Amino acid sequence: MKLILIFSALIGASLCLETFVGHQVLRIKTKNEEEVKQLQLLESLEHLQLDFWINPSAPALPVDVRIPAASVQSVKAFLESQGIQYSILIEDLQDVLDKERQDMIESAQRQRSTGSFDFGSYHTLEDINAELDHLASEYSFVEKIQIGESYEKRPLYVLKFSTGGSNRPAIWLDAGIHSREWVTQASALWIANKIASDYGTDESVTSLLDKMDLFLLPVANPDGFVYTHTSNRMWRKTRSKIPGSICVGVDPNRNWDAGFGGPGASNWPCSDSYHGPSANSEVEVKSVVDFIKNHGNFKAFLTLHSYSQLLMYPYGYKCTRPDDYAELESLGRAAASSIRSLYGTTFKVGTICNTIYQASGGSIDWSYDNGIKYSFAFELRDTGRYGFLLPANQILPAAKETWLGLKKIMEHVKNKSS
């Protein structure tokens, strides 16, 4: 064990990984709008370099924030002076990261000895792409297609599940648009394998693929994902260069042409929620937009995020209900019930604006406004204990319960499309 820890530290050093020694993650509970405003003020103080995992929006919702070691005491002093309650979720972020890297090394060793892919572990982009190749070679109805490439010229690979026919009604599923949300890419990979292996044996999957095609993009932001492995585990955005700024990257889930540049997106290039210079400026977003428009027959658009255990539908850029509110709310609740049936994990259901906060330029708002009625965003485990750093031993439970929710939605879409 000691040797593995030393090896892990050496690998981290060789990759020039940013360290987070002494960084703490606090959960802050506000009592009223005034305290929310105080936190929003805190958020605007750039010199503190705060990383809000859950943004301050309403008194009823908790706020999670990663605080660099140099700012911990001053932030705590500010909160205490204002009488704002907080608790420590993560005492030292680097300890959690060290454990995560150690788990990956041990899993890689096991995988080498067994020769089989470990779906219960976190993987590099290279390993994920190799597994996509394996699935495509193993199953005749699975094809790996490239729909574009990232800013740094990495392929955007999609698995197409199709049992025949041309331009059949289709379902879209993506993961990892925010690169640090590792449980999403991992879950998408398990789900891909589940769908492939269940066809012909599971009645629900078989009837779905006999009528519809499914397109799955497991790593929607490959540049950001690679960066979380090689440089900064907490990176969220793309890696595009911003004209006139020293800061890098755009929040790809603020870059869609749906209320672009509105509330809940930042026009400051250094912000984690920077919307970019224009809608679809990010090639990762534009590639998906072009693919979906060119196909022309998508009936559902589903996207995986973490964390908070939420199942949301439009809108985010405005706080009015969508035309299909009753059906989407009912279907969301049915999917949440399916999720809960496995391990008792509860998901809150509602529109983005009413469930979390107003956020413009998001993917499911774009898809809904472009005629794809069944547009849903899942926020996977957990509710804050580990946040974006969900331990690998929770990947399979998260993937399995999420699949039940996805399947419920897909069955409804299939029935409505036939």
Side-chain angles (χ1 to χ4, degrees):
M1 180 61 75
K2 193 173 181 184
L3 274 174
I4 286 173
L5 279 169
I6 292 167
F7 184 49
S8 173
L10 286 172
I11 282 191
S14 69
L15 291 173
C16 301
L17 271 170
E18 189 172 325
T19 59
F20 294 87
V21 175
H23 288 229
Q24 290 192 345
V25 179
L26 301 188
R27 165 150 292 183
I28 303 168
K29 293 193 173 167
T30 54
K31 296 188 289 290
N32 50 51
E33 289 291 346
E34 182 54 39
E35 291 190 351
V36 172
K37 286 195 177 73
Q38 294 284 1
L39 292 188
Q40 288 168 340
L41 170 69
L42 206 60
E43 191 179 16
S44 69
L45 300 176
E46 294 159 16
H47 69 280
L48 293 173
Q49 297 184 298
L50 303 181
D51 172 16
F52 279 84
W53 290 10
I54 299 179
N55 294 80
S57 58
L61 298 172
V63 175
D64 294 349
V65 58
R66 173 179 62 83
I67 307 171
S71 302
V72 166
Q73 292 312 317
S74 53
V75 169
K76 286 180 177 175
F78 172 81
L79 295 173
E80 287 160 13
S81 72
Q82 301 300 312
I84 300 174
Q85 288 183 311
Y86 70 87
S87 58
I88 300 171
L89 286 179
I90 298 176
E91 188 79 42
D92 190 324
L93 193 64
Q94 192 59 45
D95 290 345
V96 181
L97 295 177
D98 288 344
K99 174 73 167 64
E100 182 178 74
R101 187 153 289 274
Q102 176 194 328
D103 286 347
M104 282 184 72
I105 290 167
E106 290 175 355
S107 168
Q109 290 170 336
R110 281 196 307 274
Q111 202 164 295
R112 276 194 296 273
S113 63
T114 63
S116 61
F117 190 82
D118 181 5
F119 288 98
S121 178
Y122 292 119
H123 293 276
T124 63
L125 182 65
E126 186 180 16
D127 287 348
I128 290 172
N129 286 340
E131 182 57 21
L132 300 185
D133 286 331
H134 173 251
L135 288 170
S137 65
E138 188 87 0
Y139 299 96
S140 61
F141 56 91
V142 181
E143 180 186 0
K144 187 180 88 168
I145 60 174
Q146 183 178 340
I147 66 161
E149 60 182 18
S150 67
Y151 180 83
E152 294 177 343
K153 307 300 181 191
R154 293 184 174 89
L156 293 169
Y157 287 131
V158 167
L159 283 185
K160 178 184 180 182
F161 298 80
S162 180
T163 58
S166 61
N167 202 41
R168 296 199 302 179
I171 292 171
W172 175 268
L173 173 62
D174 68 55
I177 193 170
H178 288 145
S179 47
R180 64 186 175 186
E181 298 168 6
W182 280 12
V183 72
T184 68
Q185 298 97 335
S187 293
L189 212 50
W190 182 89
I191 288 164
N193 183 67
K194 177 70 172 167
I195 294 167
S197 58
D198 273 6
Y199 180 74
T201 57
D202 179 273
E203 188 183 336
S204 173
V205 171
T206 305
S207 67
L208 175 73
L209 291 185
D210 281 345
K211 289 184 177 174
M212 303 188 77
D213 291 345
L214 174 65
F215 294 86
L216 192 159
L217 172 63
V219 186
N221 177 6
D223 296 348
F225 186 60
V226 168
Y227 198 73
T228 62
H229 281 269
T230 60
S231 300
N232 178 351
R233 174 64 180 85
M234 300 319 305
W235 189 259
R236 163 186 166 101
K237 301 192 286 182
T238 62
R239 292 294 301 161
S240 58
K241 303 284 190 295
I242 311 302
S245 174
I246 57 164
C247 291
V248 171
V250 165
D251 180 342
N253 206 40
R254 300 292 184 275
N255 190 241
W256 301 69
D257 194 5
F260 177 81
S266 174
N267 59 9
W268 181 47
C270 302
S271 166
D272 261 352
S273 57
Y274 173 53
H275 52 56
S278 60
N280 300 336
S281 64
E282 302 312 282
V283 66
E284 296 86 354
V285 171
K286 190 172 189 317
S287 296
V288 175
V289 167
D290 290 347
F291 181 78
I292 285 176
K293 280 185 168 178
N294 290 337
H295 182 282
N297 202 15
F298 275 94
K299 303 299 181 185
F301 186 106
L302 311 171
T303 182
L304 304 183
H305 289 256
S306 75
Y307 61 97
S308 285
Q309 294 169 203
L310 309 171
L311 180 44
M312 299 179 291
Y313 51 88
Y315 284 105
Y317 72 84
K318 57 185 178 181
C319 293
T320 52
R321 289 176 171 180
D323 291 344
D324 302 290
Y325 167 77
E327 185 182 359
L328 295 178
E329 174 71 15
S330 171
L331 181 54
R333 288 183 179 278
S337 179
S338 295
I339 292 169
R340 191 169 60 249
S341 71
L342 192 58
Y343 303 111
T345 310
T346 56
F347 273 57
K348 185 178 177 185
V349 178
T351 66
I352 297 169
C353 188
N354 290 335
T355 306
I356 43 171
Y357 42 75
Q358 203 169 350
S360 54
S363 66
I364 67 167
D365 283 357
W366 172 84
S367 59
Y368 185 79
D369 277 349
N370 278 269
I372 304 176
K373 184 203 285 192
Y374 302 105
S375 294
F376 286 93
F378 288 68
E379 293 275 359
L380 276 51
R381 294 187 180 194
D382 56 9
T383 53
R385 171 64 187 88
Y386 292 100
F388 301 121
L389 304 171
L390 196 71
N393 62 15
Q394 290 196 48
I395 293 171
L396 294 181
K400 289 174 182 178
E401 67 193 8
T402 300
W403 167 236
L404 294 183
L406 287 167
K407 190 161 71 160
K408 176 63 75 174
I409 293 171
M410 290 177 184
E411 287 167 350
H412 181 86
V413 174
K414 179 203 71 178
N415 293 336
K416 291 290 186 178
S417 301
S418 54

